Amino acid sequence: MKYIYGLNKSGISIINYLESNKLGYVAWDDNIKKRREASKIFKNIILKDPKNLNYSIIKESFITPGIDLKDKKLNIFRKKNINLFRDLELYSQLISNQKIIAISGTNGKSTTTKLIGDLITLSKKNCFIGGNIGKPLIEFVNSKDQSNYHVIELSSFQLESAPSFKSFISILLNISNDHMDRYKKFTNYLREKKKIINKN
């Protein structure tokens, strides 16, 4: 069973996928408004605060990018040997033969993602554009998108924990000081950004 921590767009997209495939999950968001909204969308959703969670039934967890993976409230997941992933990991597991063009950088990544996606579309090829821009990554499955090309914008937060991630082309535009409240040191931020460059 999977644990979804964070009911923003990416979290809701993951739950849509899990429900469509009759896969078990438990979910939570620290924001009561988000929990109420999710309860209206998913009538049978099970909401469990991490403090009251039965960890013996949880195999892996997908954590919203808004939560730092080093946050103390996630320590119990580590103690129970539960993997902490971002939505990019599930996306990477679901990809088959699509060619992924992944873009990251401190500045300009949304513009570059849209530009490349538009160029592919103008070439009369089907293209899914998503990630940190527009559609959540898992929407390519939920919407039954059959595009052969995926152009995805990835934040450093998404790249933090996605060991299955592979791309056809990776573009790292630029890196300058950003998110120092999360990373503390520039070298830590750089390390996460560089994960977009991978071996196929």
Side-chain angles (χ1 to χ4, degrees):
M1 184 171 288
K2 303 181 190 302
Y3 189 67
I4 313 305
Y5 197 167
L7 300 173
N8 55 7
K9 287 197 301 183
S10 63
I12 294 296
S13 183
I14 291 173
I15 292 175
N16 268 319
Y17 166 75
L18 297 175
E19 290 220 342
S20 296
N21 290 275
K22 296 180 171 53
L23 298 173
Y25 71 93
V26 181
W28 184 254
D29 195 295
D30 294 331
N31 186 320
I32 189 171
K33 183 179 178 181
K34 292 285 187 183
R35 298 199 300 271
R36 286 172 177 167
E37 290 172 353
S39 294
K40 290 177 182 177
I41 299 170
F42 308 105
K43 301 304 180 184
N44 298 315
I45 190 172
I46 299 173
L47 295 167
K48 285 285 184 181
D49 187 309
K51 297 175 183 175
N52 303 315
L53 186 61
N54 178 4
Y55 287 91
S56 67
I57 65 172
I58 304 299
K59 302 302 180 186
E60 59 185 4
S61 181
F62 292 92
I63 311 296
T64 179
I67 298 177
D68 190 337
L69 292 179
K70 298 186 294 296
D71 194 303
K72 291 180 180 178
K73 61 190 169 190
L74 299 179
N75 285 345
I76 189 168
F77 289 83
R78 296 186 183 87
K79 289 178 181 177
K80 300 292 184 180
N81 294 315
I82 296 170
N83 289 321
L84 302 173
F85 295 129
R86 300 299 195 195
D87 64 332
L88 178 60
E89 173 59 20
L90 180 58
Y91 167 85
S92 300
Q93 293 174 13
L94 297 173
I95 283 291
S96 53
N97 298 315
Q98 295 90 343
K99 291 185 176 180
I100 301 169
I101 302 171
I103 298 105
S104 193
T106 304
N107 299 297
K109 54 186 178 292
S110 294
T111 302
T112 304
T113 300
K114 185 178 185 306
L115 178 60
I116 294 174
D118 288 346
L119 287 171
I120 293 173
T121 301
L122 285 170
S123 300
K124 303 189 184 307
K125 294 180 173 64
N126 294 327
C127 181
F128 171 80
I129 303 172
N132 202 46
I133 179 178
K135 298 177 182 176
L137 292 170
I138 309 305
E139 281 307 295
F140 95 91
V141 179
N142 295 338
S143 62
K144 296 181 172 55
D145 191 303
Q146 299 298 312
S147 298
N148 292 323
Y149 291 87
H150 286 202
V151 183
I152 59 173
E153 176 188 333
L154 299 176
S155 69
S156 57
F157 301 154
Q158 288 173 298
L159 287 162
E160 285 173 341
S161 187
S164 300
F165 168 68
K166 300 289 181 185
S167 63
F168 176 58
I169 296 173
S170 288
I171 301 172
L172 184 54
L173 297 169
N174 51 69
I175 303 179
S176 58
N177 281 341
D178 199 14
H179 302 303
M180 290 300 103
D181 57 325
R182 178 76 72 93
Y183 294 113
K184 308 303 180 186
K185 296 180 181 178
F186 177 73
T187 51
N188 296 340
Y189 175 57
L190 177 62
R191 180 188 64 233
E192 302 306 330
K193 282 291 190 184
K194 287 172 67 176
K195 287 180 180 178
I196 197 171
I197 302 168
N198 52 82
K199 296 179 181 180
N200 290 310

